[in-house]
Amino acid sequence: MSNLKMMRKAVAFAVVAILMTALSAGAAGFKKEYKMQVTVGPKLYWGMGATKFAELVSEKTNGQINVKPYFGSALLKGAQLKSAQMVAKGVIDCAIESTINISPVIPEANIFHLPFFLNNFETLDKVKFGQAGEAVFEAMRAKRIEPLAWAENGFRQLTNSKVAVKTPADMKGLRIRVVGNPLFIDTFRALGADPVNMNWGDAVAGFQQGVVDGQENPVGVLIPIQIYQYHKYATMWNYLVDPLIIYWNQQEWKAFPEEIRNAIMEAAIEAGRFETALSRAGLDGDVSLNILKNEFNYTMEVPAPIAFLESKGMEVHMLTDEERAAFAEATRPLYDKWVKEIGPDLYEKAKADIGQ
């Protein structure tokens, strides 16, 4: 057989395989595309996790389920706080979303946002994979959302253009851009700062004009947004953490055949592990760097994020245990209000998870 005939035959087989996959998906009643809400762009770790999930779902379901990420909250016209509602209603199929953004619908998610409660990866993992994390998942299921796996945006750090923040007194009068979660606003007010809720574009203009002094975000966000262009000072204080959850519309999820659910669940857990390692890389020694290298054949472009920020001229301060205790003491009165909002039982479960 000539090379040309062999090539034609191979192409024909490939076309048939593609058609068979498409026909089988259609026969099973699957959609051509499952829409996924993603708050950020594809180049942030969060967005990279969404891309990994979509790739793994296609791979593990043999092309029967095709997830398409819509970045920048395109499906919601930027209103990411509506993500949970839209997935619950089935308007959007699935999401990889921050606990911050689901907290208006799932107040239990605020367990991760109590200031200076969880301050390292060990306590975070104990809560995510313990009684408290399961309670958050159960709260989501009660709202017709099926949680699949954890991922991570990271511990949120403080940067500003005015002062090296080492004590609560250093916060006095600082205008800090924060997300719109009321717990965040309460936290900064308790520290004497002036929290300002604004979108990122307005915040950047505010930094440039000197009307906003600082902001709070995880390290994995600070580097791609080039925060060093606006701020000289960074305080690594781990004041609260921003986990991500991959979740699906519950009704649609239950309608999938078991083998499809299992495949998607495997994809979610694997994508979550990949994205979590991206967010922690260089912040937990070599642990996450080795996970990326050995499990995903991925090498970080910035393997030492703190040193990178310093190389750009930033002064980075790591809070000591004593300094952190002072911030915790200053924000402790918030617990009287917010533990009631989150749920006293959930708070007790989280404390038990971390051995308090």
Side-chain angles (χ1 to χ4, degrees):
M1 183 182 296
S2 69
N3 287 339
L4 181 58
K5 288 183 178 180
M6 290 178 67
M7 289 177 63
R8 286 174 174 170
K9 190 173 183 180
V11 170
F13 276 128
V15 170
V16 170
I18 292 170
L19 288 173
M20 289 298 290
T21 297
L23 288 171
S24 65
F30 301 138
K31 296 179 182 178
K32 181 180 179 181
E33 170 190 301
Y34 290 86
K35 294 179 171 60
M36 184 178 204
Q37 144 67 11
V38 190
T39 296
V40 302
K43 294 184 179 180
L44 294 185
Y45 300 150
W46 180 343
M48 292 168 65
T51 299
K52 174 65 77 173
F53 176 63
E55 292 171 350
L56 288 170
V57 168
S58 180
E59 173 189 317
K60 293 178 182 293
T61 64
N62 296 314
Q64 295 181 87
I65 304 296
N66 293 289
V67 173
K68 181 177 179 180
Y70 283 79
F71 297 103
S73 294
L75 296 172
L76 300 169
K77 297 182 179 179
Q80 63 262 29
L81 293 180
K82 295 182 179 179
S83 172
Q85 296 99 311
M86 293 301 101
V87 172
K89 291 178 180 179
V91 177
I92 299 172
D93 301 293
C94 57
I96 177 170
E97 193 57 88
S98 164
T99 48
I100 297 171
N101 291 339
I102 71 169
S103 61
V105 176
I106 312 294
E108 293 86 352
N110 276 318
I111 191 67
F112 298 100
H113 313 145
L114 286 172
F116 303 98
F117 178 46
L118 305 175
N119 56 26
N120 56 48
F121 295 129
E122 180 182 3
T123 55
L124 170 59
D125 285 343
K126 285 179 178 179
V127 170
K128 284 199 310 185
F129 301 108
Q131 301 176 73
E134 181 54 35
V136 173
F137 276 15
E138 284 299 324
M140 295 177 71
R141 294 185 184 107
K143 295 291 179 65
R144 305 190 308 278
I145 301 168
E146 191 64 32
L148 306 183
W150 294 100
E152 205 161 291
N153 199 27
F155 283 97
R156 300 178 76 89
Q157 316 297 356
L158 178 71
T159 69
N160 79 95
S161 60
K162 297 292 187 182
V163 62
V165 173
K166 300 179 182 180
T167 70
D170 297 327
M171 298 285 293
K172 187 174 182 179
L174 286 179
R175 287 179 58 81
I176 305 295
R177 181 266 181 183
V178 300
V179 297
N181 185 308
L183 178 48
F184 286 54
I185 293 171
D186 284 354
T187 297
F188 278 87
R189 283 179 178 160
L191 292 171
D194 180 10
V196 182
N197 175 28
M198 58 174 58
N199 65 44
W200 186 249
D202 290 340
V204 169
F207 300 152
Q208 294 169 333
Q209 295 165 11
V211 297
V212 181
D213 303 315
Q215 61 84 57
E216 49 81 51
N217 258 306
V219 169
V221 174
L222 300 181
I223 291 174
I225 65 175
Q226 300 181 349
I227 197 64
Y228 43 82
Q229 291 187 358
Y230 317 109
H231 297 155
K232 180 177 178 60
Y233 303 101
T235 300
M236 301 294 130
W237 61 347
N238 287 16
Y239 88 110
L240 58 81
V241 69
D242 187 7
L244 306 178
I245 302 174
I246 302 172
Y247 57 87
W248 209 285
N249 170 266
Q250 190 177 82
Q251 183 177 3
E252 191 170 66
W253 176 258
K254 289 182 175 179
F256 283 137
E258 183 179 3
E259 64 272 15
I260 293 295
R261 290 199 303 269
N262 289 342
I264 296 173
M265 182 69 78
E266 288 178 9
I269 292 170
E270 189 173 336
R273 183 168 172 80
F274 171 72
E275 197 280 337
T276 297
L278 290 176
S279 295
R280 296 185 182 186
L283 301 173
D284 60 356
D286 291 333
V287 174
S288 290
L289 290 171
N290 286 334
I291 289 173
L292 292 169
K293 179 181 177 181
N294 298 329
E295 297 182 23
F296 298 99
N297 193 31
Y298 185 88
T299 301
M300 291 294 293
E301 183 178 346
V302 181
I306 304 302
F308 177 83
L309 292 175
E310 290 175 329
S311 75
K312 295 296 184 178
M314 295 193 77
E315 293 184 15
V316 180
H317 179 68
M318 314 292 290
L319 284 191
T320 66
D321 290 342
E322 293 76 14
E323 288 169 340
R324 189 184 309 280
F327 282 96
E329 181 67 22
T331 55
R332 186 67 195 180
L334 297 180
Y335 281 54
D336 292 337
K337 171 186 176 181
W338 281 98
V339 167
K340 293 177 184 176
E341 297 277 345
I342 295 166
D345 290 344
L346 176 58
Y347 178 58
E348 292 302 320
K349 287 178 179 178
K351 288 203 299 182
D353 287 337
I354 63 177
Q356 282 191 6

